[in-house]
Structures are given as C-alpha cells and as structure tokens.
Amino acid sequence: MNNLFSLLSDKKPEFDAPLHVGQLYLPERKAFDAAFNAVFDRHYFTNHGPLVESLDLEIAEYLGVNHAVCMTSGTIAIMVACKALDLKGTVIVPSFTFCATVQALLWSGLKPIFCDVDNESHNIDTDKIQALIREDTCAIVGVHLWGRPCDVNLLQSIADKNNLKLIFDACHAFGVTSDNIKVGNFGDLEIFSFHATKILNAAEGGCVTTNSPDIAARLKTIRNFHSSDVDADVSLRINGKMSEAQAAMAQLSLQNLEMNIANNKSQWNTYYNELSSIAGLKIIILDNSQAQNYQYFVCEIIEEDFGLSRDQLLELLVAENIQARKYFNPPAHALNAIDDFTIWTSLPITEKLCGRVLQLPLGSSGSIKNAKRVSNIIRLANENSNHIKQYFLAENTKDF
Ligand code: T4K
C-alpha cells in the first residue's frame, strides 16, 4: 500500500509538473498574434479604445443586458459599483467568498455585516438577512458562489422591503442562467471577473452589468478619472479603464466561450462520475436545467465519513503535484483589515465549510484523462484512509 502515495513513500508524484486548479484558457497563437498586432498597428493601447468599446457591447449582447462596463479587474469593478450606487454605511455580505469581495467593500469605505451562508447552496442565507439589517444599512451583496446563482427573487424582495440596494458579485457565474435569464440582469447591478482563471479570461479584467441607463452612465464616468464624452454627476472617480490588450484577450476568450464551457463540462462530469459514490465526499452539484459554465469542481470532505480530513487529503494530493485548493482560506471575516470590525455575527456554517471545501483542477487546458487520474488518487485515499491516518498520527507525535 505504501508505494501508492508519494507522501508515504519515495514513489514519483502522479504528475510530473504541478496541476493547478485554474487550468487556463490559451487562445490559438495565430489568433492571439493577429489581435495583438492590430493593437500595435493602431498605436492605441488604452483610454476606451475600439476593442474595449466593442467588448462592452459584445458582453451586453451575450448576457442580454442593457449595459456592460468593462474595467481592469473584478475588484476594481466592485469598488466602482459601490460608488456608482453612492453606498454609505453598512452592507450585508457573506464571509464565505473570495477575500476580494470584502476587500473591495472596505476600500469603498463600507462596513461589512457578515451573514452566514446556507449549508447546501453555499450562498447567503436569506433567512438570516432581516435580523442583520440596521438603520445605516445601505445594501445587500449576494455572491453567486461556484457559479450557482443566489435566490435572486427572494433577495430582491428583501432589498425592496427594506429600501436597500442589491448587488451581486457574479465573478464565478459568467454564462450561467437563473430561471433561464442570464446572470448579469439581476439586482441593481452585477459584477464579473475576467481574471486568467475565470471562464472569460482577459488575463486581468472585470465588468459591471446593469439594466439602468443612469447607473451605466455613472459607472462609465467613475471608471475614467477625468472628463470624457460620458459625464454623470459623481463625486469621485478612479482609473478603472480596461486596456486594449485585456480587451483583445477577452474577445478571443468570448469567441471560444462555448467550446471552453463544453470542455469544462466534460471534466466536471468525469469528476462527478468518478467521485459521486465516495462516502464523505459531498459534491457541490449544478442545476442541469439551467445554463452553467462548469468553471469549478468543488466538494466538501466530511472527515467522519471519508476517513481523512480535507487538509490531510490535500497534503496527499499536493505530494502528487495535484495543486487542489482549500477555499476560503482565510474566510473574509478573518482578514486583518477588519480587525476593528465591531458588528460580530455568528457564522457557524461558514466556519464549518472553510474546513471542508476543496476545489479540484479543471479548466480549458485541463483534460478528462487528468480528471480521471486525480479522481483515482482521491478514491485510493478514501479506500486506504485507515492506513494513511496512521501516517498522519505518527507525523503529529513526532513533534512532541
Ligand atoms: N469576487 C469573487 C467571488 C472572486 O472569486 C474574485 C476573484 C473576485 C471577486 C475578484 O476578481 P478579480 O479582481 O480577481 O478580477 C484566484 C484568482 O486570482 C481570483 O481572480 C479569483 N477570484 C479566485 C477565486 O481565484 P487564487 O489566489 O486563489 O488563485 P491564483 O491566482 O493563485 O490561481 C490559481 C492557480 O492557477 C495558481 O496556483 C496557478 C494557476 N495559474 C494562475 C494564473 C494567474 C496559472 O497557471 N497561470 C496564471 O496566469 O485567486
């Protein structure tokens, strides 16, 4: 048994090179060269160039939303969105999200009130919001985690009842639908990330979508730090302009989106078929009646049933060069920047999930074959968990 795992023996790792969670989209070299040569030929690199102008329209068309306003990153897009809505005071937000969601709120001068998430959906627990709303609360921020949309209608009714703005961090959910409507159309506005590890890859990039012409005008004004042809009445601006290089990359990625989603789906289904019968490995499933982007394969490792903790399994995988990731580590409520944060709320589900959630390698440059090899290691780990546990116990007692 010992020579099954690199961690426990001198066996060669399963993969010669690290297999990362974000298996990136790489455009065809010829198409990439043509797009970038055109940028160089135009001698026009930024400041609302022709590629950014057309990308705004292409994304709006793809999502079926009236306005898309592209920016340098998802994080900047959240900050610009907060200013566009003129948010001040406290904001209800889940802590179980990537740190950028909350960091962007803090940069915007807002104070987060953390709301726990639902055990099954991993999204903001709609039953817990009302009790957290205070007189100075200005907005609810929902995060469509792992690309699974929040309960958008219920959140809208809670926001309306309490006269709050509603924002969605849709950074995981490009191309996904809720009730057959594309994410990007909900709340006052929604924010996407086009980071290299996302389904729409601009290397870095992001955008805000909205159906409101007034909000769109404010977004366009704020993303540009000095006056231009769109000038809404706003108090503060920033440099959030997307460059032509980012837009060129995003356009190539958008052209290949359906192919990349199909590729993700085949890897996602492989993991599902290989892993779904393993006790203690709870797969975060997707609703196949809706459009999905299959960007993430995420599971919970329940130690009592699986036989190993999430962290032990991860150590085993990393020794095989499988760079799976634990999310979210740390959770947003544990960030240094909120040391002076005083509105403490109880977050038992968030705390539990932070110790259980594991994301497996998947993406445009990934393959079914690799998904099978990763699954095989996980299955072997489960089957040999008693023996492996002894290894970890022995390692722990070495320290004493
Ligand atoms: N809201 C939410 C809910 C988000 O998930 C994010 C970002 C944001 C807001 C903010 O959007 P941006 O400002 O980023 O546009 C990654 C991404 O950096 C981050 O964009 C993403 N979410 C988050 C979920 O994942 P890390 O630090 O966990 O992963 P990273 O960047 O180390 O990449 C994962 C692996 O992929 C690496 O270990 C190696 C591989 N990789 C990565 C890059 C960038 C490559 O092989 N090549 C590469 O070029 O954050």
Side-chain angles (χ1 to χ4, degrees):
M1 197 304 292
N2 265 355
N3 59 2
L4 283 177
F5 300 103
S6 305
L7 186 70
L8 278 58
S9 68
D10 54 5
K11 171 187 162 286
K12 247 176 72 203
E14 172 70 20
F15 290 89
D16 293 335
L19 186 73
H20 294 296
V21 277
Q23 295 286 294
L24 307 190
Y25 158 73
L26 300 173
E28 217 181 277
R29 196 54 198 244
K30 246 176 150 181
F32 178 86
D33 287 347
F36 276 77
N37 286 341
V39 172
F40 299 148
D41 289 346
R42 277 193 294 276
H43 289 224
Y44 202 90
F45 287 175
T46 186
N47 288 5
H48 322 295
L51 298 188
V52 174
E53 298 271 300
S54 64
L55 184 65
D56 279 354
L57 298 175
E58 287 162 28
I59 287 175
E61 191 187 347
Y62 177 81
L63 298 176
V65 66
N66 288 344
H67 307 277
V69 184
C70 287
M71 304 194 201
T72 42
S73 70
T75 305
I76 292 287
I78 298 173
M79 290 163 61
V80 170
C82 291
K83 282 284 173 241
L85 296 178
D86 210 9
L87 299 185
K88 292 184 182 84
T90 59
V91 174
I92 313 281
V93 62
S95 168
F96 195 60
T97 177
F98 192 60
C99 54
T101 315
V102 171
Q103 284 171 341
L105 298 176
L106 293 168
W107 272 105
S108 308
L110 295 161
K111 194 161 190 158
I113 299 179
F114 292 117
C115 184
D116 211 359
V117 290
D118 177 78
N119 195 42
E120 297 308 312
S121 71
H122 291 191
N123 283 332
I124 194 163
D125 186 340
T126 46
D127 289 342
K128 298 205 173 122
I129 294 176
Q130 191 64 49
L132 297 174
I133 295 172
R134 308 184 338 169
E135 219 166 84
D136 63 353
T137 302
C138 59
I140 301 169
V141 179
V143 182
H144 304 308
L145 210 66
W146 318 131
R148 299 198 302 178
C150 298
D151 189 336
V152 289
N153 295 329
L154 184 52
L155 281 168
Q156 189 65 64
S157 64
I158 297 171
D160 290 344
K161 184 174 146 210
N162 293 281
N163 201 20
L164 301 176
K165 300 287 185 201
L166 179 61
I167 296 182
F168 289 107
D169 176 335
C171 287
H172 295 182
F174 193 84
V176 170
T177 58
S178 173
D179 277 337
N180 298 314
I181 298 169
K182 284 239 168 72
V183 164
N185 283 277
F186 302 111
D188 291 283
L189 51 80
E190 302 206 57
I191 298 117
F192 294 92
S193 165
F194 304 150
H195 180 258
T197 53
K198 297 288 188 283
I199 188 76
L200 188 69
N201 169 5
E204 290 280 3
C207 93
V208 185
T209 59
T210 180
N211 282 312
S212 154
D214 293 343
I215 295 173
R218 292 172 67 80
L219 290 165
K220 286 182 180 170
T221 306
I222 296 166
R223 81 169 159 181
N224 177 19
F225 48 36
H226 55 54
S227 57
S228 67
D229 49 339
V230 184
D231 268 330
D233 182 19
V234 298
S235 56
L236 194 62
R237 301 170 176 220
I238 197 168
N239 182 357
K241 292 168 284 159
M242 181 183 256
S243 73
E244 289 291 276
Q246 289 173 291
M249 184 73 179
Q251 282 182 323
L252 293 170
S253 186
L254 191 58
Q255 284 156 21
N256 288 301
L257 191 73
E258 297 312 322
M259 182 187 76
N260 289 337
I261 289 176
N263 190 8
N264 280 2
K265 185 177 179 181
S266 65
Q267 293 163 58
W268 199 99
N269 285 338
T270 303
Y271 278 129
Y272 183 82
N273 292 335
E274 300 284 326
L275 300 174
S276 57
S277 60
I278 296 180
L281 189 150
K282 181 176 167 189
I283 296 170
I284 306 311
I285 54 165
L286 302 171
D287 175 358
N288 282 327
S289 72
Q290 296 297 313
Q292 302 291 349
N293 62 24
Y294 301 93
Q295 185 169 265
Y296 299 116
F297 188 91
V298 179
C299 55
E300 290 175 40
I301 302 299
I302 302 155
E303 182 171 2
E304 309 80 87
D305 303 322
F306 186 82
L308 296 171
S309 70
R310 186 271 316 268
D311 290 357
Q312 289 168 340
L313 175 63
L314 182 60
E315 211 177 316
L316 208 70
L317 294 174
V318 169
E320 305 294 350
N321 253 332
I322 300 164
Q323 303 286 332
R325 280 277 177 98
K326 42 182 169 181
Y327 282 102
F328 291 99
N329 187 33
H333 66 277
L335 291 173
N336 287 343
I338 56 147
D339 271 355
D340 64 346
F341 176 69
T342 49
I343 313 161
W344 287 108
T345 48
S346 160
L347 303 166
I349 307 295
T350 300
E351 301 270 355
K352 182 183 77 176
L353 293 177
C354 285
R356 283 184 174 186
V357 166
L358 188 68
Q359 186 189 327
L360 300 181
L362 182 152
S364 306
S365 53
S367 65
I368 291 179
K369 189 173 163 216
N370 284 350
K372 279 194 175 158
R373 288 168 72 191
V374 172
S375 303
N376 189 40
I377 299 280
I378 294 174
R379 196 175 38 74
L380 285 174
N382 170 250
E383 285 167 3
N384 294 282
S385 59
N386 279 341
H387 187 95
I388 300 166
K389 200 101 195 173
Q390 297 308 315
Y391 163 84
F392 282 112
L393 278 173
E395 282 298 294
N396 277 348
T397 45
K398 259 191 212 163
D399 298 341
F400 292 101

